[in-house]
Amino acid sequence: MAYLPDDLPGPEPTIDDRPFWDACRMRELRFQRCADCGRFRHPPAPVCARCGSRRSNWVRAADEAELFSFTVVHHAADDAVAASVPYNVAIVLFPSFDGVRLVSNVVDCAADELRIGMRLSLVWEVAGDGVPLPRFRRAVGG
Ligand code: ZN
């Protein structure tokens, strides 16, 4: 069973983040990195904020991630997720990737077990429209 309902709308890629979603379809989490200065940028953007370059490539994410912050939703803002409360919304940090942060969810973890700084590992969860979404669970030993 998916962490959130299968029938939630799937991603609608833009010209900037389409490579991110294309990689997700292959169950690869990739972040955009400036091809000139090497700085990661997420969310994806057409221009590097540090050096102004328009060139980039897409680098597969490191396995090491940690919980940077989170909230636990108890009151559904939409009927579509009413049966899923309480659920968490997590900001996942990739320390070795210039501190890239990804908004996601931590699965298989009770709300009162979430801890800022806990080590996380990537899992894929297929949404109803067939797109694998990057989610996270507590890393072994984390
Ligand atoms: Zn740059």
Side-chain angles (χ1 to χ4, degrees):
M1 189 174 105
Y3 187 69
L4 293 175
D6 278 347
D7 57 354
L8 291 180
E12 296 179 18
T14 67
I15 192 169
D16 294 323
D17 66 13
R18 183 172 302 282
F20 176 88
W21 294 114
D22 287 348
C24 286
R25 288 181 184 279
M26 296 183 290
R27 295 176 184 254
E28 293 180 358
L29 182 59
R30 291 182 178 269
F31 293 117
Q32 185 185 38
R33 183 170 62 187
C34 178
D36 287 305
C37 77
R39 184 169 184 102
F40 283 91
R41 47 192 204 240
H42 187 82
V47 176
C48 176
R50 180 158 71 185
C51 78
S53 173
R54 293 183 172 276
R55 300 188 327 121
S56 66
N57 43 47
W58 291 81
V59 180
R60 194 151 184 181
D63 287 335
E64 301 87 35
E66 63 185 55
L67 186 56
F68 179 79
S69 188
F70 67 94
T71 190
V72 177
V73 178
H74 292 273
H75 300 281
D78 190 288
D79 289 344
V81 291
S84 299
V85 296
Y87 63 88
N88 67 71
V89 177
I91 299 177
V92 178
L93 172 70
F94 292 80
S96 61
F97 276 51
D98 292 336
V100 163
R101 298 173 197 168
L102 178 70
V103 177
S104 182
N105 313 98
V106 179
V107 302
D108 300 332
C109 186
D112 62 359
E113 295 176 349
L114 292 167
R115 297 286 182 274
I116 289 174
M118 69 191 290
R119 291 177 34 224
L120 301 172
S121 59
L122 175 66
V123 294
W124 292 99
E125 199 172 86
V126 178
D129 58 5
V131 180
L133 300 176
R135 291 198 166 120
F136 294 83
R137 68 167 40 117
R138 188 190 331 221
V140 175

